[in-house]
């Protein structure tokens, strides 16, 4: 059910309706808040091979039951960047609305999946125990709603908490979270938490855990803090050491920091589209970069290894009785449950990393999409599948119908 907004809530919708505002925020956020680099390491950047594929005028099924050229779909999707890799080759690379290829772009909630990957890597190393409660690592959360959560419940978004006594509203809480992190984005009279850990300590349980899926940034921030306590290093250093310095990235990424100097793990990471594509291609290849295994194959394959529980089938707000849930959720990744083993990292305003091993396809989309009931959601995952079908020359291929 859609919740109506009170006048006091309206300030938190600012920016959702203006693509130019979203785009500026996504590419200049480090001008508004302190940041910390995610070092690319000393290795030479991985130059991905290229192949010629003319996709600009490819007819694609789009919103309002229309068929339009890909170029028009991207304009309507407020696309900043689209990169498509097929069978290990870059077949499409496009930048729009003045976005430049070397500029890190805010990944929004796409970055959640990177925290899930780090957690899985530490699990593989035996440093993380999924049945442990968060308060075992973060004593400051003892007695709070999130402190009692087990790491597995956090990684699957199966907690139920509220903040400040407010009814839970996913969109509004996501926007309010920026006020916790960046003082420059706080409205006049703000009296809330001054940093992320203060915000987490304010959580109160509102229902039993591990019974239903409820998407909440706080779960990611607790996991990220647990990883910092386990390893003794910042999220930026951990992501650099275990992932970013191993994938042949061309540019440093960066994280937005809160007032305490901790990373906004749930959505404050920025990177170039091509570096996200490099990671996607390595994941598609089971963690291998050429003949080198840079990420453990077992960890990569575990992304789609969904345990029994409430996230085996996830109901989204738009799902109805006539449109049953089809997606799954695991370690902050969306699992498509298609015949191709596809999975997705996804963020607000159109940030996506799509990996489809069976299709031999990787796609990265950065955007500045409007969030409004009057604007239909853009079917980006369906778009990737249509591109894959065209590249495969397989007109009978099953087209994915999910849009996250």
């Amino acid at each position: 059910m859609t919740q109506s907004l009170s006048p006091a809530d309206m300030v938190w919708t600012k920016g959702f309706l203006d693509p130019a505002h979203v785009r500026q925020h996504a590419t200049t956020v480090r001008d508004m808040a302190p940041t910390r680099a995610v070092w690319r390491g000393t290795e030479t950047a991985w130059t991905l091979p290229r192949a010629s594929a003319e996709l600009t005028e490819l007819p694609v099924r789009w919103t309002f039951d229309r068929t339009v050229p890909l170029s028009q779909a991207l304009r309507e999707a407020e696309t900043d960047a689209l990169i498509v890799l097929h069978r290990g080759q870059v077949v499409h690379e496009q930048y729009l609305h003045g976005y430049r290829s070397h500029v890190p772009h805010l990944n929004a909630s796409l970055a959640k999946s990177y925290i899930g990957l780090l957690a899985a890597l530490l699990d593989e190393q035996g440093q993380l125990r999924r049945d442990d409660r968060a308060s075992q690592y973060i004593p400051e959360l003892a007695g709070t709603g999130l402190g009692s959560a087990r790491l597995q419940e956090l990684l699957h978004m199966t907690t139920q908490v509220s903040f400040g006594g407010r009814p839970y509203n996913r969109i509004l809480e996501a926007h309010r979270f920026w006020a916790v992190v960046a003082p420059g984005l706080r409205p006049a009279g703000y009296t809330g938490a001054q940093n992320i850990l203060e915000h987490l300590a304010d959580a109160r349980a509102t229902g039993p855990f591990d019974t239903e899926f409820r998407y909440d940034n706080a779960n990611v921030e607790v996991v990220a803090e647990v990883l910092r306590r386990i390893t003794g290093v910042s999220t930026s250093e951990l992501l650099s050491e275990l992932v970013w310095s191993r994938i042949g990235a061309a540019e440093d990424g960066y994280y937005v920091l809160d007032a305490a100097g901790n990373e906004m793990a749930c959505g404050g990471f920025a990177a170039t589209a091509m570096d996200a594509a490099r990671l996607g291609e390595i994941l598609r290849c089971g963690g291998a970069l050429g003949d080198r295994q840079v990420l453990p194959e077992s960890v990569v394959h575990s992304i789609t290894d969904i345990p029994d529980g409430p996230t085996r089938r996830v109901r989204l707000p738009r799902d109805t009785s006539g449109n049953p849930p089809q997606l799954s959720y695991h370690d902050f990744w969306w699992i498509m449950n298609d015949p191709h083993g596809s999975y997705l990292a996804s963020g607000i305003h159109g940030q996506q990393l799509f990996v489809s091993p069976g299709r031999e396809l990787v796609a990265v989309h950065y955007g500045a999409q409007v969030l409004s009931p009057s604007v239909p959601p853009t079917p980006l995952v369906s778009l990737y599948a249509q591109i894959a079908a065209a590249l495969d020359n397989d007109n009978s291929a099953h087209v994915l119908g999910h849009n996250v």
Side-chain angles (χ1 to χ4, degrees), residues 33-347:
T35 61
R36 180 175 293 132
V38 176
W39 187 37
R40 60 168 295 275
T42 60
E43 292 190 8
T44 302
W46 177 24
T47 301
L48 289 158
R50 295 176 179 267
S52 177
E54 182 48 59
L55 298 176
T56 303
E57 298 307 311
L58 175 71
V60 295
R61 291 188 292 285
W62 197 237
T63 55
F64 300 112
D65 295 321
R66 296 172 299 155
T67 297
V68 302
L70 176 63
S71 57
Q72 180 176 340
L74 296 183
R75 286 196 302 272
E76 294 181 7
E78 293 291 347
T79 298
D80 293 337
L82 177 66
I83 296 176
V84 179
L85 280 69
H86 186 238
R87 295 174 181 165
Q89 298 178 307
V90 178
V91 297
H92 187 85
E93 182 180 8
Q94 185 174 4
Y95 303 95
L96 295 90
H97 299 107
Y99 175 60
R100 294 174 293 171
S101 62
H102 67 282
V103 175
H105 189 291
L106 200 66
N107 280 202
S109 290
L110 186 163
K112 289 178 169 61
S113 301
Y114 296 170
I115 299 300
L117 180 60
L118 290 177
L121 288 166
L122 292 185
D123 185 7
E124 173 81 1
Q125 296 173 10
Q127 297 191 60
L128 179 147
R129 296 181 298 275
R130 290 174 179 259
D131 284 335
D132 285 352
R133 298 190 186 277
S135 59
Q136 294 176 236
Y137 301 90
I138 314 172
E140 298 93 320
L141 295 185
T144 70
L146 289 168
S148 64
R150 300 185 186 278
L151 300 187
Q152 185 78 334
E153 294 164 347
L154 296 162
L155 284 161
H156 287 95
M157 298 274 193
T158 58
T159 62
Q160 295 187 65
V161 299
S162 67
F163 297 92
R166 297 183 296 270
Y168 177 76
N169 182 301
R170 180 175 65 87
I171 297 297
L172 291 178
E173 289 300 335
H175 212 50
R176 284 175 183 273
F177 197 83
W178 276 102
V180 174
V181 178
L185 298 178
R186 292 172 184 169
Y190 176 82
T191 59
Q194 300 298 303
N195 59 59
I196 294 171
L197 192 56
E198 276 189 25
H199 175 69
L200 300 178
D202 186 46
R204 296 296 178 265
T206 58
F209 292 178
D210 203 31
T211 59
E212 65 179 64
F213 174 80
R214 196 167 83 173
Y215 192 86
D216 192 329
N217 286 330
N219 293 304
V220 186
E221 296 300 340
V222 176
V223 171
E225 182 63 21
V226 168
L227 301 186
R228 288 191 284 266
R229 301 292 175 105
I230 289 174
T231 62
V233 301
S234 69
T235 303
S236 300
E237 184 174 345
L238 188 63
L239 183 62
S240 171
E241 178 184 345
L242 296 185
V243 179
W244 218 248
S245 64
R246 303 183 181 194
I247 64 171
E251 306 286 347
D252 291 348
Y254 68 82
Y255 272 107
V256 175
L257 304 179
D258 72 358
N262 288 324
E263 290 85 350
M264 180 184 178
C266 67
F269 178 70
T272 68
M274 187 57 76
D275 282 342
R278 288 180 170 98
L279 174 58
E281 178 62 12
I282 287 171
L283 293 174
R284 183 188 73 84
C285 295
L289 195 170
D291 59 359
R292 291 190 297 131
Q293 194 72 34
V294 297
L295 298 174
E297 186 174 13
S298 58
V299 168
V300 176
H301 288 163
S302 75
I303 291 173
T304 54
D305 186 12
I306 308 156
D308 289 333
T311 60
R312 182 167 284 278
R313 284 294 184 272
V314 172
R315 180 169 292 281
L316 302 178
R318 64 182 169 273
D319 289 333
T320 65
S321 57
N323 178 28
Q326 300 179 52
L327 301 177
S328 299
Y329 196 78
H330 179 51
D331 284 1
F332 304 142
W333 293 90
W334 298 95
I335 315 303
M336 310 313 296
N337 293 316
D338 67 5
H340 314 292
S342 307
Y343 50 96
L344 177 75
S346 183

Side-chain angles (χ1 to χ4, degrees), residues 374-392:
S374 64
V375 178
T378 51
L380 290 172
V381 173
S382 176
L383 183 70
Y384 310 145
Q386 292 176 72
I387 291 172
L391 293 170
D392 287 339

